[in-house]
Structure formats: structure tokens, C-alpha cells
Amino acid sequence: MGNREQKRISTLSKDKVIVDFFPDALDADEMENVENISDRELSLHAGALCLYATLLMTKIHETDPMKLEPSCEDRINDLKALAKAEPKYAAYTDDQINNLVNNMIKVDIRNCFAHGNFEINYDIYTQKMNFVLHPMRRDLVSNEPIVIDKNSIMKANKEFIAKNGEEYQMKAMLSELMIDNAVTTNLSKTLKEFILPTQMQKLTDYYIGKKHLTKSQVLFDENIYYMVQYILSSAKITYEQQDYYDIFGKDSNVFGAIALIRNSLAHDSLEFVDNANGVSYVDKHISKTESVAESASKLLIADSHKQLIKNLLAEGKHSEDAINRFKDKLKEIFDFFFDGTYKFEDVAGVWIENAKEKE
């Protein structure tokens, strides 16, 4: 892993992709560089987010985590020593301890990617990049990370996509009518398992792949904007979910919307409906169906709220009471906007100014 600094994926990464590929949706001048990060470095972060988004769709971190070829000998040795010192494992044989620790590593990989408990380190010149996972365990606690090379994740993702692609190549041998029927009937499955992962992998290749791609070679279609925005936003909120919990609280509608989308994505209970114009979420006893555009807008607004609060907190110029009042107003904006009572652009500016004036 070397001594390179570990960093969280930049919160600007998603906007970098949108600016590069959909300039009509977001101009570069609108992307405030609060992190003072160079465009060259930000491109690597954008690639990391696209790679993470692809992984969340292929779900290899859940179904076959060891395929990601983790490097974690120090952690394994730590866990073995801790397990042998634990009374409840005193009667375990060496093979049983090995199996126990191996399963712990699998769970750690799954949880780190599912909850955003990882950072990246990289070289901006060689584009070498590692995902450095920091598992959070209640038992057998070790501070040793799990390190996964970006190339291992890309390889596993591409193998998943290629395998699913074989199914659609077989369908291409059928009549056009049978192909249309097959794709329409299984549109949600086709999108989730092949089309969208392939699109996100192409974006990954553009930013951090070995083969240079032009922008025209990356996008399937310009009309895929909402899907790309939606998938990247979903990956971003999954990665930054703790921020929403800390800022808005678990009982807020903001965090509730975030949790529903994240959990549906993580547990594969998300379905595309209405000819892929809509999306349906199911999480425990909750279900909701809405347009992809509405979901994308919801995630954009929640993200902007979260980042605004983080920026204010970082400034250190505002009282705790003023920040809390501002949080409450942002919650109201979110609730009213998605109930259709107010338009965000009509009320946001007024409430922001009022919050500042009351400090």
C-alpha cells in the first residue's frame, strides 16, 4: 500500500462526472471547489465513485467478496490471535479458527462497502489506486485495514458484466420480436444486471482505466442522464450515509428517504417500472414507487442540504442554535418540496437568509 495518504472519495466526484458528460445540466462554474482539489486529482476521485457505483450494482462485495483479492495478512493474524484468546473460541481447532476469521473478513468487506467505511489512496501520475477498508466490529477489534487494489474490483466487475452479457448475446440470436419481448419483460433485471453496470464501468474506464476512451465512446445515449445522475447519487449517499444520520437524525424524513433508497439498493429490492421511467423501493414494511427523475431530484436536494450544513460547520462562524434552526428549515424544505406544497427554488433562498439573520 505504501505510505500514500488515505482520503475519502471527494464529495465533488459526482458533479465532476455530470460536468464532464452533461454540461447542460451542470456548468463547471457552478461546481464550487470547496476542497481545493485539482482537476487531475478530482478525475481519479470521479473514477473511484464510478467504480464503487458499479460494485454496488454487481454486488460482488456481498456474493463473492474474496474475488476482490483483498490484502489483509496483518488483520488476519490479529483476528486469529484475538480469537484464540477469546474464551468462547477456546475449544476451536486451528482449522476452525481459520474458517472463523475467513468468514469475518468476508463480512468486513461486505459491511465496509455497504456502509461507506473505506478511503482511497492513489498516485496521480501512475493512477495506481487502493480502496482501504476500515471495518467496524463489536468483537475481535483490530485496527488493521483491508486493502483492495482498484484493478481487482474492475476485473471482478467486468467478469460479472461479461457473464451477464452472454445471456443477452444468446437473445440476439433470437428473432427481433422475441428479443423485444424478453427485454421488455425483464427490463428491470436487464438494467440492473447489465445495462447500468456496463454504463458505469465505461465511466470508470474513462477516468481510471488503462485504455483511453473518448467521451463519445462512453455514453450509450444522451438521454441516460437521469439514470447516471440517479446511480451516482445513490452511490454517493451510500458512501456518505453517516453524514445524513449525524446531521438530520434517524427520525427525519431526509434520512428516511436516504435509508429507503440505500437499503433497497443494498438488498436488491429495487425495481425499475413503467418502462424504466419509474423506480420501486421495498425495505422491510415500507414500499414506495416514484419516477426516476423524482428520486434523482430528491437525492440531489438531500445532498445539497447535507453539504451546506457541513460547510457551515466547517466555517466555525455560526452558533449551534443557528445551525440547528437551519437544519430544521432544510428539513421543512425537503418535506414541502416532495409533498408538492412548495417549489424548492421559491423558498430556499428566503429561508437561508432568515436563518443567517437570526444568528
Side-chain angles (χ1 to χ4, degrees), residues 61-266:
H61 62 295
E62 288 192 354
T63 59
D64 195 2
M66 302 312 285
K67 196 169 186 178
L68 300 176
E69 301 176 8
S71 176
C72 50
E73 283 303 312
D74 289 341
R75 181 174 184 81
I76 289 173
N77 291 334
D78 261 9
L79 294 178
K80 285 182 179 179
L82 290 166
K84 289 177 180 178
E86 186 69 34
K88 64 179 178 180
Y89 302 125
Y92 275 41
T93 65
D94 285 346
D95 283 345
Q96 287 175 315
I97 290 291
N98 290 341
N99 287 334
L100 174 72
V101 170
N102 187 54
N103 287 330
M104 286 182 175
I105 294 296
K106 291 179 181 179
V107 171
D108 286 344
I109 293 172
R110 181 264 179 201
N111 287 344
C112 283
F113 281 121
H115 298 284
N117 295 330
F118 66 89
E119 297 175 319
I120 56 174
N121 69 22
Y122 49 86
D123 186 309
I124 62 173
Y125 302 106
T126 65
Q127 292 198 343
K128 289 182 179 179
M129 179 185 293
N130 291 314
F131 283 60
V132 186
L133 282 55
H134 301 284
M136 300 177 67
R137 301 191 62 86
R138 295 180 181 178
D139 62 341
L140 305 189
V141 177
S142 170
N143 292 324
E144 293 293 338
I146 298 172
V147 181
I148 301 177
D149 190 305
K150 81 164 194 298
N151 292 323
S152 297
I153 304 176
M154 291 175 72
K155 178 183 175 185
N157 283 341
K158 287 182 177 181
E159 287 177 355
F160 174 93
I161 293 168
K163 182 178 179 181
N164 284 334
E166 291 176 1
E167 175 185 342
Y168 300 104
Q169 285 180 337
M170 290 296 293
K171 287 176 181 175
M173 298 171 64
L174 304 175
S175 70
E176 186 173 340
L177 177 60
M178 292 178 71
I179 294 171
D180 288 343
N181 289 339
V183 172
T184 301
T185 303
N186 300 291
L187 180 58
S188 181
K189 184 174 183 292
T190 308
L191 278 169
K192 289 194 301 180
E193 295 185 1
F194 183 65
I195 296 176
L196 292 178
T198 301
Q199 177 62 88
M200 298 314 301
Q201 184 57 56
K202 278 179 159 291
L203 285 165
T204 303
D205 285 336
Y206 177 80
Y207 287 108
I208 55 175
K210 293 180 180 179
K211 183 179 179 181
H212 179 72
L213 297 176
T214 63
K215 289 182 180 179
S216 62
Q217 294 174 308
V218 175
L219 295 182
F220 286 135
D221 189 291
E222 291 183 0
N223 295 325
I224 204 169
Y225 164 73
Y226 277 117
M227 282 296 185
V228 171
Q229 180 73 266
Y230 171 71
I231 294 299
L232 286 176
S233 294
S234 297
K236 188 173 189 290
I237 63 103
T238 300
Y239 186 58
E240 300 174 349
Q241 61 191 276
Q242 188 63 42
D243 289 342
Y244 295 93
Y245 183 92
D246 293 340
I247 290 173
F248 297 108
K250 67 177 182 178
D251 296 324
S252 68
N253 286 339
V254 178
F255 185 73
I258 295 303
L260 175 61
I261 293 173
R262 191 211 75 85
N263 290 344
S264 297
L265 181 66

